[in-house]
Amino acid sequence: MTELTRESAQALIEEVLEVYPEKAKKDRAKHLMVNDKEITQSKKCITSNRKSLPGVMTQRGCAYAGSKGVVWGPIKDIIDISHGPVGCGAYSRGGRRNYFAGTSGVDSFCDINFTSDFQEKDIVFGGDKKLAKLIDELEMLFPLSKGISVQSECPVGLIGDDIEAVAKKKAAEIGKTIVPVRCEGFRGVSQSLGHHIANDAVRDWIISNRDDQPFESTPYDVAILGDYNIGGDAWASRILLEEMGLRVVAQWSGDGTLTEMENTPKVKLNLLHCYRSMNYIARHMEEKYSIPWLEYNFFGPSKIVESLREIASHFDEKIQEGAERVIAKYKPAMDAVIAKYKPRLQGKKVMLYVGGLRPRHTVGAYEDLGMEVIGAGYEFAHNDDYDRTIKEMKDATLIYDDVTGYEFEEFVRQLKPDLIGSGIKEKYAFHKMGVPFRQLHSWDYSGPYHGFDGFAVFARDMDMTVNNPVWSMFKAPWNEADKTEGDALKAA
Ligand code: SF4
């Protein structure tokens, strides 16, 4: 790999932009930057959360995906109706591997696709009656569900159905919470607005439901916000908090329940893992209930230790001692993981392009293994995400916002990383180039990656990806004489 300097990184950006027409070049230049840790406000150097340019290959999702797919989908005991035509729900179902404990179809519903299956007549005459009928059917078939959310797809917003009125009427009839969520995919520029809309719906329809009900508090009550239990992440996190003496009242939303969410305003501290998707509700609880919130990072032992101490500092000596006890307990295991994998991964370069928190939160975990992140970017970040990313990344690394398929491939061709961590849409392009790749949205069918237990899995997965001989075997036998692009990249 070519070592980056500030000048060479800037020259690379300019070279990659060269192919664009003038207007596109000017626009895309605002989304690419060379990192400088001295910068305190990213908005001076990078533009984010803007509409993607038509004609370039973007990797974003829609607001419905952000609401149903990320925030609401993992709440296990409510039914999420994908309201509209069948495709939005069918093609987005179960892709994030949000684990849950429960019996599917009895008391848990995360892995079932419920849709109102709009037809032409519903577009012409409206779908409110169909929605009401569907709610009746769901109540008959799944009486143990604790509530229902109505996740609006594009056509519902276009024809102006009154899902709020249906939700109110049916909620009164069946005696359960029914939440209308106006997350039509055409809203906003990416899935990010869907997260915000989903948070607002929780604020308006759920968070205050138990305000006047009794609750047996302890001084050590916390809630986990923004952990979707992908591959068991939230379980690997929760165990550490409980071992240090805290009581986890709620986890949002992976393996979470409606009751847990309703009880969250009773906690003493909200612990926020994915800032992007849940900072809105954390801020709301701070304003309305005076509950402080704290961002933490449970990727890799260095950041976990830092976070455990930071969390403990909000509590008394009992919890602070508990944190030290937990850190000491897991240290030998973490030392063993690092002793095993660091020699195999030392010096390897990584490029990341993911969503939420990962492009910055995983940097420390790679560094624990002796690896270096030389480029990072987000699909749907805002500038407060880049403010945080600048601090985590080294100087003269690349930061790219809503990177296009072409730009990402060119950066990889020139920088020749040893590993790419990105999404399913990028995966096969880099597979074909023979570049080691991990799918970092749902951990490539692995996980957990959070917590001390997760780090052992993370280290193993990165090793078996980077050091896998398969990357040099991508050529058909009759083309053996040719090298794969990955080989050529490494040899150059
Ligand atoms: S953009 Fe609209 S139609 Fe497309 S998946 Fe999202 S909600 Fe469905």
Side-chain angles (χ1 to χ4, degrees):
M1 187 224 110
T2 315
E3 282 302 325
L4 279 176
T5 62
R6 239 173 242 175
E7 294 71 29
S8 65
Q10 189 57 46
L12 172 58
I13 289 174
E14 279 158 29
E15 186 189 328
V16 167
L17 289 172
E18 209 44 53
V19 299
Y20 288 132
E22 210 46 47
K23 196 167 168 223
K25 190 198 294 183
K26 203 169 151 206
D27 180 275
R28 286 302 308 156
K30 295 181 200 157
H31 296 263
L32 307 172
M33 69 174 272
V34 180
N35 195 35
D36 176 351
K37 287 170 91 79
E38 299 294 307
I39 296 166
T40 50
Q41 287 186 310
S42 65
K43 66 180 180 203
K44 291 181 181 157
C45 315
I46 194 161
T47 298
S48 64
N49 198 31
R50 296 282 192 283
K51 192 176 179 327
S52 302
L53 282 185
V56 300
M57 183 80 90
T58 180
Q59 318 291 348
R60 287 171 158 175
C62 68
Y64 160 84
S67 176
K68 193 258 183 183
V70 176
V71 176
W72 282 91
I75 309 167
K76 64 181 174 184
D77 60 356
I78 66 165
I79 289 173
D80 300 307
I81 298 173
S82 291
H83 189 37
V86 69
C88 312
Y91 292 119
S92 63
R93 174 180 155 232
R96 277 169 56 90
R97 302 176 55 250
N98 315 101
Y99 286 2
F100 59 91
T103 306
S104 188
V106 178
D107 59 6
S108 302
F109 309 94
C110 301
D111 56 352
I112 305 176
N113 184 26
F114 300 94
T115 176
S116 45
D117 187 21
F118 262 39
Q119 306 294 308
E120 273 184 65
K121 66 178 169 41
D122 302 312
I123 301 292
V124 174
F125 298 109
D128 285 345
K129 282 191 187 139
K130 190 173 199 181
L131 177 61
K133 186 162 175 254
L134 172 56
I135 291 169
D136 287 337
E137 284 176 13
L138 290 173
E139 185 54 12
M140 181 187 67
L141 289 168
F142 306 105
L144 297 185
S145 75
K146 291 290 181 344
I148 291 172
S149 84
V150 182
Q151 307 284 324
S152 280
E153 299 165 9
C154 288
V156 173
L158 293 170
I159 63 176
D161 273 10
D162 191 353
I163 60 169
E164 287 79 7
V166 178
K168 273 188 193 150
K169 183 165 177 283
K170 298 310 289 184
E173 278 177 32
I174 68 172
K176 289 181 182 174
T177 299
I178 302 181
V179 183
V181 189
R182 284 286 180 186
C183 57
E184 291 89 353
F186 55 73
R187 297 185 194 276
V189 300
S190 71
Q191 56 268 62
S192 178
L193 188 63
H195 306 143
H196 198 155
I197 291 168
N199 277 227
D200 287 353
V202 172
R203 177 197 66 199
D204 295 342
W205 298 81
I206 289 182
I207 204 75
S208 306
N209 288 358
R210 287 177 187 253
D211 278 1
D212 51 6
Q213 289 192 23
F215 181 82
E216 282 189 29
S217 283
T218 80
Y220 305 123
D221 291 349
V222 297
I224 296 174
L225 305 186
D227 190 321
Y228 301 104
N229 206 31
I230 292 166
D233 280 339
W235 295 332
S237 302
R238 182 179 182 130
I239 194 171
L240 302 180
L241 301 171
E242 289 176 342
E243 279 186 38
M244 69 193 264
L246 296 171
R247 186 172 77 149
V248 180
V249 169
Q251 56 187 61
W252 293 39
S253 50
D255 195 38
T257 66
L258 182 64
T259 307
E260 286 176 34
M261 295 173 88
E262 290 170 337
N263 279 332
T264 304
K266 324 273 187 187
V267 303
K268 303 292 183 295
L269 180 66
N270 273 322
L271 301 173
L272 184 56
H273 207 237
C274 180
Y275 170 87
R276 181 71 276 130
S277 61
M278 279 202 182
N279 78 87
Y280 315 100
I281 199 71
R283 290 178 197 280
H284 171 70
M285 283 189 263
E286 184 178 39
E287 280 166 24
K288 183 168 179 190
Y289 301 97
S290 302
I291 302 171
W293 54 277
L294 170 71
E295 279 179 78
Y296 70 106
N297 179 350
F298 268 11
F299 284 101
S302 298
K303 291 292 176 186
I304 299 171
V305 167
E306 217 176 272
S307 293
L308 288 174
R309 289 188 173 136
E310 173 73 10
I311 293 166
S313 72
H314 288 252
F315 295 93
D316 61 15
E317 279 175 11
K318 180 186 158 203
I319 300 299
Q320 288 164 22
E321 284 165 19
E324 294 307 321
R325 192 177 58 246
V326 170
I327 291 165
K329 175 184 165 186
Y330 287 92
K331 189 169 185 315
M334 291 301 97
D335 288 348
V337 169
I338 289 171
K340 180 173 179 184
Y341 293 108
K342 194 168 178 178
R344 298 170 58 80
L345 295 168
Q346 182 82 47
K348 302 291 186 190
K349 312 290 184 190
V350 186
M351 291 184 77
L352 302 171
Y353 180 58
V354 215
L357 71 166
R358 291 159 186 178
R360 63 175 177 275
H361 263 37
T362 57
V363 171
Y366 285 113
E367 288 176 354
D368 284 338
L369 294 168
M371 304 170 81
E372 187 189 344
V373 179
I374 57 167
Y378 299 81
E379 293 171 0
F380 50 82
H382 299 211
N383 274 84
D384 48 3
D385 296 300
Y386 288 111
D387 291 342
R388 290 160 168 77
T389 308
I390 286 170
K391 296 189 192 109
E392 297 294 335
M393 298 284 288
K394 287 194 171 149
D395 275 337
T397 49
L398 284 185
I399 299 184
Y400 28 81
D401 175 70
D402 187 25
V403 75
T404 70
Y406 155 75
E407 290 161 13
F408 199 15
E409 285 177 37
E410 280 310 301
F411 289 148
V412 167
R413 281 201 176 90
Q414 303 253 4
L415 297 177
K416 307 173 184 60
D418 302 286
L419 175 68
I420 297 170
S422 191
I424 194 76
K425 293 173 224 159
E426 299 84 356
K427 177 173 182 165
Y428 298 103
F430 293 117
H431 273 191
K432 286 175 188 168
M433 288 165 69
V435 182
F437 185 97
R438 288 296 305 180
Q439 198 265 85
L440 283 193
H441 287 280
S442 59
W443 307 150
D444 242 343
Y445 315 103
S446 185
Y449 282 178
H450 293 179
F452 290 125
D453 290 340
F455 181 65
V457 181
F458 176 85
R460 179 205 64 189
D461 287 358
M462 297 311 137
D463 173 46
M464 74 180 183
T465 304
V466 169
N467 294 309
N468 197 318
V470 75
W471 306 110
S472 58
M473 299 176 183
F474 270 48
K475 275 284 171 194
W478 54 90
N479 285 332
E480 275 287 295
D482 299 336
K483 291 280 182 202
T484 64
E485 195 167 358
D487 283 343
L489 284 172
K490 284 206 167 55

